[in-house]
Amino acid sequence: MIRTVNLRKLYTTEEVETTALNNVNMEVKEGEFVAIMGPSGCGKSTLLNVLGMLDNPSAGEYHFLDREVSKYRERDRANLRKENIGFVFQSFNLIDELTVAENIELPLLYLGRSSTQRKLRVHEIMEQMNIVPRKNHFPQQLSGGQQQRVAVARAVVAKPKLILADEPTGNLDSSHGEEVMKMLTDLHEAGTTIVMVTHSPDYADNAQRVVHLFDGRVVTENLKGAPQA
């Protein structure tokens, strides 16, 4: 599903050039659950943004679903992204002026689904996530755990092939963090491909494979239960 070849990302100002990704080579197969770990500032979120086509690499290749997309225009990236990728962010990124149901409905609106299709699918996913009683609440009326549950529902409502999760438990206490990890694990077991950035070795243990970054490079990869390579 995902393959990068010598992927680089540079950020340049008038005074300094920063290398966020430095010749990253990695693959993610369809149906895998991969965790990305490393110290703060090592390029984890940058890599996730490139994989999610929120940003273009400065050099190298990015193959997604057998398409080389590194030079795609924003419109083409957006079309491919909205049809195939769901995002879960540490800060939830819900829209305060929209209700729970309206936040979840957004990806279906972008895809041009009919009103009937949207209503049925939103109700289905709210039932799956046990948030139907909160459907008319606004984000500020929810706890952090409830907000992240809504964010996960929004990420999966369009049945994407890939979920990208950037520190999805970072703003949650341990019990709500475990709850979110259970949701992601269930999605993976149902066949969704997941790439998750995390600082937690315990949460990374839910993944099948862990990729370690340092200074923008992949330094180790290890399968769950296998020695590091």
Side-chain angles (χ1 to χ4, degrees):
M1 174 177 278
I2 286 172
R3 181 167 64 92
T4 71
V5 181
N6 295 328
L7 202 67
R8 292 174 60 83
K9 182 63 182 179
L10 308 177
Y11 293 104
T12 304
T13 67
E14 292 182 357
E15 299 177 354
V16 66
E17 181 176 86
T18 302
T19 302
L21 297 175
N22 192 359
N23 293 327
V24 171
N25 295 281
M26 65 178 291
E27 292 189 21
V28 177
K29 296 179 181 178
E30 189 168 353
E32 264 198 300
F33 188 163
V34 176
I36 300 174
M37 300 190 72
S40 296
C42 73
K44 302 186 300 297
S45 293
T46 300
L47 177 58
L48 216 64
N49 285 341
V50 172
L51 297 182
M53 289 175 279
L54 297 173
D55 202 356
N56 264 358
S58 303
E61 300 176 8
Y62 174 32
H63 298 260
F64 179 71
L65 297 177
D66 296 322
R67 308 181 198 181
E68 211 292 277
V69 300
S70 62
K71 302 298 190 296
Y72 269 31
R73 296 175 302 173
E74 170 54 30
R75 178 188 297 178
D76 297 326
R77 294 203 314 267
N79 288 334
L80 192 58
R81 184 171 62 235
K82 70 184 181 182
E83 292 170 0
N84 295 285
I85 302 175
F87 296 89
V88 182
F89 301 96
Q90 177 178 347
S91 56
F92 316 135
N93 283 16
L94 301 176
I95 298 176
D96 289 339
E97 294 77 18
L98 300 182
T99 65
V100 164
E102 290 167 341
N103 267 283
I104 296 170
E105 184 184 21
L106 276 177
L108 302 179
L109 280 168
Y110 295 147
L111 288 169
R113 300 287 192 264
S114 71
S115 176
T116 300
Q117 288 176 317
R118 297 197 307 268
K119 184 176 180 179
L120 288 173
R121 178 57 182 157
V122 168
H123 185 74
E124 179 184 22
I125 200 68
M126 286 194 299
E127 282 193 325
Q128 183 180 333
M129 298 290 179
N130 295 315
I131 51 177
V132 173
R134 304 287 183 180
K135 65 180 181 180
N136 293 320
H137 287 63
F138 292 93
Q140 61 267 29
Q141 296 174 299
L142 306 178
S143 69
Q146 290 167 339
Q147 289 188 60
Q148 194 60 299
R149 184 180 286 269
V150 175
V152 172
R154 181 185 57 190
V156 302
V157 69
K159 300 181 180 179
K161 296 181 176 67
L162 172 67
I163 294 289
L164 298 176
D166 193 357
E167 293 283 359
T169 62
N171 284 334
L172 304 177
D173 60 31
S174 58
S175 63
H176 286 121
E178 291 290 347
E179 187 178 284
V180 169
M181 286 309 307
K182 174 67 165 56
M183 284 190 281
L184 291 176
T185 301
D186 288 347
L187 289 167
H188 169 243
E189 290 176 353
T192 304
T193 306
I194 297 176
V195 179
M196 175 183 70
V197 164
T198 182
H199 279 103
S200 168
D202 290 336
Y203 293 147
D205 195 48
N206 289 276
Q208 298 168 300
R209 182 160 55 97
V210 182
V211 175
H212 295 268
L213 291 186
F214 187 77
D215 285 348
R217 292 179 177 270
V218 174
V219 290
T220 61
E221 289 190 54
N222 60 286
L223 293 172
K224 185 175 177 181
Q228 290 191 2

